[in-house]
Amino acid sequence: MMDATRRGFLYGLGATLGSVALTDLLAAEASSGAGPSGEATSQGPLASKPPMFPARAKNVIMLFMEGGPGHMDTFDPKPELTRLHKQESKLTAGQETGFKFFVGSPFGFRKVGQSGIEMCDQWVHLADPYVADELCNYRGCQAESLNHPEALFHMNTGSRLGGDPALGAWTTYGLGSENQNLPGYVVMTELALPQGGAGNWSNGFLPPHYQGTRLRPEGSPLLDLASPSFKTRQHQRRALDELARLNRSHLESLGAEDQRLMARMESYELAYRMQTEVPDLIDLSKESQQTQEMYGLDQSETATFGRQCLMARRMVESGVRFVQIFSGGWDSHDYLERGHTSRIKSVDKPMAALIRDLKQRGMLEDTLVIWTGEFGRTPDNNKRGGVYSLGRGHNNQAMTMLMAGGGVKPGAIVGGTDELGSSAVECVHPIRDLHVTLLHLLGLDDNKLTYFHAGRYKQLSQFGGQVIQELIA
């Protein structure tokens, strides 16, 4: 029986990548001669790994506008739609049925910067040429689902069903983290979680180490960052060493690999190291008053998103591989002008500050910044309750997204939609091709970045895709 248990345990160690966590913990103990040291090492599942080929980007900051911004109201002007405003529509895009009418954008548009990239007149700070000429506007992406949770899952994980690893999880699986004292994948949200909740930053079937770490929007971003006053660091270290010894003994008794236990063991060590580094990282008072004002921390409408953008810059600067920020309220079925005006104002100054800050620090060239929603909007809407309700339905056939830095073409407009914005017609690609392109910029090959699960090797794109070469500088 003892031999069978030992055989099962050894088989488990070689079965999957999850065993690397235990192997590295034991290696760290052996090298120190006295249990886990609690200091950053080059070992472990989140250890930094080289890209598969020369990369254009090494970090990602993803700004996710939950709800689906109207592309014709932000970065894809449609004069013909304005001409047809409130006229009857016979288009079939969107979910709603019944009488529809065209909705022209309530905003004016202009070209900005030397590149002449187009944006609505509500974008004030992003229109600064120093920032605007770094933007790449992609108008050719098409989603699949018209429902928010499915579309969110699809854009974030490559699957409409939920439960699959998020883009950030795949990235840290492929590249690890540059700072072993911090999570490799960090997520920031508003008080209300996006639809689908934590499934949008899940590790899915990958080992638990690659789960996104969410920072709380109010109070301490992470609970229990500070130890109780009666407990010294030495006391805590001894307690963790003893806990690790008991956990390893329990793991051996299982006779097989247990990824959850190994991940828990590693998370205790990471939490110990984070208590040293995270408080300094999230202390924005260390930034100059000029920087804080640049991000809009002194204004109520921009303070929340500005704080998150500034923290994203500090995290990337400290070695966090993938940072994602969710901003809600973009689902404008009604009161389009009021809703989008408010939403744009809340993110405009922080977004511009983020790109400006990265550029001034020489970080933009290898940090990929992405601004996107889960889908676009329809050029028409229903007549509800006998009155005009100016808004738009969901549209998975056309959307717009911005990118900057990380090897994408600066000052470029790639792809296009038809004259009403109903469907993408130029450089048309599905979301899986977008994901393949993002991995490519990070030096990762989607066809080789695989994980064996449920009887087959799985990948972010599900079944493969192609790089959108037009986006790459």
Side-chain angles (χ1 to χ4, degrees):
M1 178 61 68
M2 289 294 292
D3 186 57
T5 300
R6 178 176 177 274
R7 187 182 303 117
F9 176 65
L10 293 175
Y11 175 79
L13 282 182
T16 75
L17 188 67
S19 62
V20 175
L22 176 61
T23 304
D24 288 343
L25 284 173
L26 295 177
E29 177 183 356
S31 65
S32 67
S37 67
E39 302 301 322
T41 73
S42 61
Q43 305 297 318
L46 288 176
S48 183
K49 308 168 192 174
M52 297 175 180
F53 51 85
R56 305 297 296 274
K58 65 178 183 181
N59 306 97
V60 177
I61 299 176
M62 190 175 197
L63 310 176
F64 203 103
M65 308 295 109
E66 185 205 0
H71 47 291
M72 63 284 287
D73 304 305
T74 51
F75 301 104
D76 190 6
K78 296 299 171 187
E80 178 63 12
L81 185 59
T82 300
R83 188 185 69 81
L84 295 173
H85 184 55
K86 289 191 177 180
Q87 294 186 32
E88 182 179 357
S89 164
K90 292 184 171 62
L91 296 177
T92 58
Q95 292 177 298
E96 299 89 351
T97 59
F99 175 80
K100 291 186 177 183
F101 57 94
F102 287 114
V103 178
S105 178
F107 309 125
F109 277 78
R110 80 279 201 211
K111 295 183 177 181
V112 299
Q114 293 184 354
S115 61
I117 197 166
E118 298 165 300
M119 58 181 68
C120 84
D121 54 19
Q122 298 301 299
W123 299 102
V124 178
H125 302 278
L126 208 62
D128 186 322
Y130 187 80
V131 175
D133 285 336
E134 297 296 336
L135 302 176
C136 177
N137 179 203
Y138 179 45
R139 299 172 174 174
C141 191
Q142 290 184 328
E144 291 182 8
S145 177
L146 284 168
N147 298 316
H148 289 292
E150 291 180 7
L152 278 156
F153 285 149
H154 194 194
M155 183 62 77
N156 285 304
T157 73
S159 169
R160 296 166 53 180
L161 304 178
D164 280 39
L167 179 58
W170 279 111
T171 300
T172 51
Y173 168 60
L175 296 174
S177 178
E178 295 181 298
N179 189 333
Q180 299 303 290
N181 294 337
L182 296 172
Y185 176 21
V186 172
V187 177
M188 288 177 274
T189 71
E190 298 167 320
L191 282 175
L193 295 182
Q195 294 195 48
N200 288 292
W201 51 89
S202 170
N203 60 290
F205 48 74
L206 292 177
H209 316 88
Y210 305 109
Q211 166 89 22
T213 298
R214 176 178 175 256
L215 301 187
R216 300 165 69 241
E218 290 187 349
S220 175
L222 290 171
L223 296 175
D224 302 320
L225 271 179
S227 298
S229 58
F230 60 83
K231 182 180 292 186
T232 66
R233 291 285 286 175
Q234 292 76 16
H235 182 193
Q236 189 176 4
R237 180 68 266 163
R238 290 196 301 270
L240 283 174
D241 288 346
E242 180 63 18
L243 180 61
R245 185 187 66 79
L246 294 172
N247 278 331
R248 285 196 298 274
S249 176
H250 178 54
L251 184 66
E252 292 175 2
S253 72
L254 296 177
E257 171 200 330
D258 188 323
Q259 290 186 3
R260 292 174 298 178
L261 178 55
M262 288 190 292
R264 192 176 302 118
M265 293 164 68
E266 176 66 18
S267 71
Y268 292 152
E269 293 300 324
L270 175 59
Y272 178 79
R273 300 193 299 267
M274 285 171 61
Q275 284 184 318
T276 299
E277 188 149 342
V278 170
D280 183 67
L281 179 64
I282 62 178
D283 184 3
L284 301 186
S285 67
K286 296 181 180 296
E287 297 287 340
S288 68
Q289 188 68 27
Q290 181 182 7
T291 297
Q292 294 184 46
E293 291 177 359
M294 181 174 71
Y295 278 89
L297 270 60
D298 58 332
Q299 301 170 14
S300 59
E301 62 268 23
T302 55
T304 298
F305 196 73
R307 186 177 301 108
Q308 292 174 332
C309 283
L310 180 51
M311 287 178 62
R313 189 270 289 164
R314 289 171 65 89
M315 288 177 191
V316 167
E317 196 172 30
S318 297
V320 175
R321 184 72 67 182
F322 199 106
V323 181
Q324 190 170 21
I325 306 174
F326 286 87
S327 170
W330 293 86
D331 189 22
S332 294
H333 288 278
D334 307 283
Y335 307 105
L336 170 64
E337 182 175 10
R338 185 175 69 187
H340 268 42
T341 297
S342 172
R343 290 291 80 206
I344 291 174
K345 189 173 184 179
S346 72
V347 303
D348 177 30
K349 190 173 187 178
M351 282 174 57
L354 175 61
I355 295 172
R356 177 183 296 275
D357 204 3
L358 291 171
K359 185 176 179 179
Q360 290 174 342
R361 294 169 182 269
M363 297 171 59
L364 186 59
E365 61 184 38
D366 54 18
T367 301
L368 178 62
V369 180
I370 309 166
W371 180 93
T372 187
E374 63 266 40
F375 43 52
R377 313 300 294 193
T378 59
D380 53 6
N381 205 9
N382 287 75
K383 186 175 183 179
R384 302 177 180 178
V387 298
Y388 286 114
S389 180
L390 297 182
R392 305 190 187 281
H394 302 174
N395 185 359
N396 61 1
Q397 295 302 300
M399 61 189 304
T400 191
M401 58 185 65
L402 297 180
M403 303 177 198
V408 299
K409 286 181 180 177
I413 296 176
V414 178
T417 56
D418 60 36
E419 64 179 4
L420 298 178
S422 180
S423 180
V425 294
E426 297 176 20
C427 195
V428 182
H429 287 271
I431 287 175
R432 65 175 176 273
D433 288 355
L434 174 69
H435 287 163
V436 169
T437 303
L438 300 184
L439 291 180
H440 178 82
L441 290 168
L442 289 162
L444 297 171
D445 185 341
D446 172 73
N447 288 317
K448 296 179 180 178
L449 186 69
T450 61
Y451 190 84
F452 191 79
H453 175 258
R456 69 177 179 89
Y457 286 95
K458 295 186 177 181
Q459 61 201 99
L460 172 61
S461 67
Q462 302 294 319
F463 300 102
Q466 65 183 80
V467 174
I468 308 173
Q469 296 291 345
E470 292 87 346
L471 293 175
I472 300 175

